[in-house]
Short mmCIF file of all heavy atoms in Angstrom, two decimals:
data_model
loop_
_atom_site.label_atom_id
_atom_site.label_comp_id
_atom_site.label_asym_id
_atom_site.label_seq_id
_atom_site.Cartn_x
_atom_site.Cartn_y
_atom_site.Cartn_z
N PRO A 206 -21.61 43.23 -28.92
CA PRO A 206 -22.15 44.52 -28.51
C PRO A 206 -22.77 44.54 -27.11
O PRO A 206 -22.57 45.48 -26.36
CB PRO A 206 -23.20 44.80 -29.60
CG PRO A 206 -22.70 44.08 -30.80
CD PRO A 206 -22.06 42.85 -30.28
N GLU A 207 -23.50 43.46 -26.75
CA GLU A 207 -24.14 43.45 -25.43
C GLU A 207 -23.09 43.40 -24.32
O GLU A 207 -23.21 44.10 -23.30
CB GLU A 207 -25.07 42.24 -25.29
CG GLU A 207 -25.95 41.96 -26.51
CD GLU A 207 -25.23 41.18 -27.58
OE1 GLU A 207 -24.72 40.07 -27.34
OE2 GLU A 207 -25.15 41.74 -28.71
N GLU A 208 -22.05 42.56 -24.52
CA GLU A 208 -20.97 42.47 -23.52
C GLU A 208 -20.19 43.78 -23.42
O GLU A 208 -19.79 44.21 -22.33
CB GLU A 208 -20.03 41.32 -23.83
CG GLU A 208 -20.61 39.94 -23.54
CD GLU A 208 -19.56 38.86 -23.61
OE1 GLU A 208 -18.37 39.17 -23.89
OE2 GLU A 208 -19.91 37.68 -23.35
N ALA A 209 -19.97 44.42 -24.57
CA ALA A 209 -19.23 45.70 -24.57
C ALA A 209 -20.00 46.75 -23.78
O ALA A 209 -19.42 47.48 -22.96
CB ALA A 209 -19.02 46.16 -26.00
N LEU A 210 -21.33 46.81 -23.99
CA LEU A 210 -22.13 47.78 -23.25
C LEU A 210 -22.13 47.46 -21.76
O LEU A 210 -22.03 48.35 -20.92
CB LEU A 210 -23.56 47.81 -23.80
CG LEU A 210 -24.53 48.80 -23.13
CD1 LEU A 210 -23.98 50.22 -23.22
CD2 LEU A 210 -25.90 48.69 -23.76
N ALA A 211 -22.25 46.17 -21.42
CA ALA A 211 -22.22 45.78 -20.00
C ALA A 211 -20.90 46.17 -19.35
O ALA A 211 -20.87 46.62 -18.21
CB ALA A 211 -22.45 44.25 -19.87
N LEU A 212 -19.78 46.00 -20.08
CA LEU A 212 -18.47 46.38 -19.55
C LEU A 212 -18.40 47.88 -19.32
O LEU A 212 -17.94 48.34 -18.27
CB LEU A 212 -17.39 45.93 -20.52
CG LEU A 212 -15.95 46.37 -20.17
CD1 LEU A 212 -15.51 45.79 -18.84
CD2 LEU A 212 -14.98 45.98 -21.29
N LEU A 213 -18.86 48.65 -20.29
CA LEU A 213 -18.82 50.10 -20.16
C LEU A 213 -19.64 50.58 -18.97
O LEU A 213 -19.19 51.42 -18.18
CB LEU A 213 -19.32 50.76 -21.45
CG LEU A 213 -19.37 52.31 -21.47
CD1 LEU A 213 -18.01 52.90 -21.17
CD2 LEU A 213 -19.91 52.79 -22.79
N LEU A 214 -20.84 50.02 -18.81
CA LEU A 214 -21.70 50.42 -17.69
C LEU A 214 -21.10 50.02 -16.36
O LEU A 214 -21.13 50.79 -15.38
CB LEU A 214 -23.09 49.78 -17.86
CG LEU A 214 -23.90 50.27 -19.08
CD1 LEU A 214 -25.19 49.48 -19.18
CD2 LEU A 214 -24.21 51.76 -18.96
N ALA A 215 -20.51 48.83 -16.30
CA ALA A 215 -19.89 48.36 -15.04
C ALA A 215 -18.72 49.24 -14.65
O ALA A 215 -18.56 49.63 -13.49
CB ALA A 215 -19.47 46.90 -15.19
N ARG A 216 -17.88 49.57 -15.62
CA ARG A 216 -16.70 50.39 -15.29
C ARG A 216 -17.12 51.82 -14.96
O ARG A 216 -16.51 52.46 -14.10
CB ARG A 216 -15.73 50.38 -16.48
CG ARG A 216 -15.15 49.01 -16.78
CD ARG A 216 -14.28 48.49 -15.62
NE ARG A 216 -13.66 47.23 -15.96
CZ ARG A 216 -14.06 46.04 -15.48
NH1 ARG A 216 -15.08 45.97 -14.62
NH2 ARG A 216 -13.45 44.94 -15.83
N ALA A 217 -18.12 52.33 -15.62
CA ALA A 217 -18.61 53.67 -15.31
C ALA A 217 -19.19 53.73 -13.90
O ALA A 217 -18.98 54.69 -13.16
CB ALA A 217 -19.64 54.12 -16.35
N SER A 218 -19.93 52.69 -13.51
CA SER A 218 -20.50 52.63 -12.16
C SER A 218 -19.40 52.52 -11.11
O SER A 218 -19.52 53.10 -10.04
CB SER A 218 -21.45 51.45 -12.05
OG SER A 218 -22.54 51.60 -12.93
N ALA A 219 -18.33 51.78 -11.45
CA ALA A 219 -17.22 51.65 -10.49
C ALA A 219 -16.48 52.96 -10.33
O ALA A 219 -16.02 53.31 -9.23
CB ALA A 219 -16.26 50.55 -10.96
N ALA A 220 -16.35 53.73 -11.42
CA ALA A 220 -15.64 55.00 -11.36
C ALA A 220 -16.48 56.09 -10.66
O ALA A 220 -15.94 56.99 -10.03
CB ALA A 220 -15.28 55.49 -12.77
N ASP A 221 -17.81 55.98 -10.75
CA ASP A 221 -18.70 56.97 -10.14
C ASP A 221 -19.91 56.25 -9.58
O ASP A 221 -20.82 55.86 -10.32
CB ASP A 221 -19.13 57.99 -11.21
CG ASP A 221 -20.05 59.05 -10.64
OD1 ASP A 221 -20.30 59.07 -9.41
OD2 ASP A 221 -20.56 59.87 -11.43
N PRO A 222 -19.96 56.08 -8.24
CA PRO A 222 -21.08 55.35 -7.63
C PRO A 222 -22.45 55.96 -7.92
O PRO A 222 -23.46 55.27 -7.84
CB PRO A 222 -20.77 55.42 -6.13
CG PRO A 222 -19.28 55.64 -6.06
CD PRO A 222 -18.94 56.48 -7.27
N ASP A 223 -22.46 57.25 -8.26
CA ASP A 223 -23.73 57.93 -8.56
C ASP A 223 -24.13 57.83 -10.03
O ASP A 223 -25.14 58.40 -10.45
CB ASP A 223 -23.64 59.42 -8.18
CG ASP A 223 -23.44 59.60 -6.68
OD1 ASP A 223 -23.97 58.77 -5.90
OD2 ASP A 223 -22.74 60.55 -6.28
N PHE A 224 -23.32 57.11 -10.81
CA PHE A 224 -23.60 56.99 -12.26
C PHE A 224 -24.90 56.26 -12.50
O PHE A 224 -25.15 55.18 -11.92
CB PHE A 224 -22.45 56.25 -12.94
CG PHE A 224 -22.66 56.03 -14.41
CD1 PHE A 224 -22.51 57.07 -15.31
CD2 PHE A 224 -23.02 54.79 -14.90
CE1 PHE A 224 -22.69 56.89 -16.68
CE2 PHE A 224 -23.22 54.59 -16.25
CZ PHE A 224 -23.03 55.64 -17.14
N ALA A 225 -25.75 56.82 -13.30
CA ALA A 225 -27.03 56.21 -13.65
C ALA A 225 -27.33 56.53 -15.12
O ALA A 225 -26.95 57.61 -15.61
CB ALA A 225 -28.15 56.71 -12.76
N VAL A 226 -28.02 55.64 -15.79
CA VAL A 226 -28.32 55.87 -17.21
C VAL A 226 -29.80 55.71 -17.47
O VAL A 226 -30.46 54.86 -16.87
CB VAL A 226 -27.54 54.89 -18.13
CG1 VAL A 226 -26.05 55.18 -18.08
CG2 VAL A 226 -27.82 53.45 -17.75
N SER A 227 -30.30 56.53 -18.36
CA SER A 227 -31.68 56.42 -18.83
C SER A 227 -31.69 55.51 -20.07
O SER A 227 -30.65 55.13 -20.59
CB SER A 227 -32.23 57.80 -19.20
OG SER A 227 -31.48 58.35 -20.28
N ASP A 228 -32.88 55.20 -20.57
CA ASP A 228 -32.97 54.40 -21.77
C ASP A 228 -32.31 55.13 -22.96
O ASP A 228 -31.65 54.48 -23.80
CB ASP A 228 -34.43 54.11 -22.09
CG ASP A 228 -35.06 53.12 -21.11
OD1 ASP A 228 -34.28 52.41 -20.42
OD2 ASP A 228 -36.29 53.07 -21.01
N ALA A 229 -32.49 56.45 -22.98
CA ALA A 229 -31.88 57.24 -24.06
C ALA A 229 -30.35 57.17 -23.96
O ALA A 229 -29.64 57.07 -24.97
CB ALA A 229 -32.35 58.68 -24.00
N ASP A 230 -29.83 57.24 -22.72
CA ASP A 230 -28.38 57.14 -22.52
C ASP A 230 -27.85 55.79 -22.99
O ASP A 230 -26.75 55.69 -23.54
CB ASP A 230 -28.03 57.33 -21.04
CG ASP A 230 -28.18 58.77 -20.59
OD1 ASP A 230 -28.14 59.67 -21.44
OD2 ASP A 230 -28.36 59.01 -19.39
N ARG A 231 -28.63 54.74 -22.76
CA ARG A 231 -28.17 53.39 -23.18
C ARG A 231 -27.99 53.34 -24.70
O ARG A 231 -27.05 52.74 -25.19
CB ARG A 231 -29.20 52.34 -22.75
CG ARG A 231 -29.08 51.94 -21.30
CD ARG A 231 -30.10 50.88 -20.95
NE ARG A 231 -29.87 50.39 -19.59
CZ ARG A 231 -29.07 49.39 -19.27
NH1 ARG A 231 -28.41 48.77 -20.24
NH2 ARG A 231 -28.90 49.01 -18.03
N VAL A 232 -28.89 53.98 -25.42
CA VAL A 232 -28.76 54.00 -26.87
C VAL A 232 -27.50 54.73 -27.27
O VAL A 232 -26.75 54.27 -28.15
CB VAL A 232 -30.02 54.68 -27.50
CG1 VAL A 232 -29.83 54.86 -29.01
CG2 VAL A 232 -31.26 53.87 -27.21
N VAL A 233 -27.23 55.87 -26.62
CA VAL A 233 -26.03 56.63 -26.93
C VAL A 233 -24.76 55.85 -26.59
O VAL A 233 -23.80 55.79 -27.36
CB VAL A 233 -26.04 57.98 -26.17
CG1 VAL A 233 -24.71 58.72 -26.38
CG2 VAL A 233 -27.19 58.84 -26.65
N LEU A 234 -24.78 55.20 -25.43
CA LEU A 234 -23.61 54.43 -25.01
C LEU A 234 -23.39 53.19 -25.90
O LEU A 234 -22.24 52.78 -26.09
CB LEU A 234 -23.74 54.03 -23.54
CG LEU A 234 -23.65 55.19 -22.54
CD1 LEU A 234 -23.92 54.70 -21.13
CD2 LEU A 234 -22.28 55.86 -22.62
#
Side-chain angles (χ1 to χ4, degrees):
E207 317 82 58
E208 285 192 359
L210 181 57
L212 175 62
L213 178 58
L214 294 175
R216 297 295 184 255
S218 298
D221 180 5
D223 296 326
F224 177 75
V226 292
S227 63
D228 289 341
D230 287 337
R231 281 181 173 271
V232 174
V233 174
L234 291 175

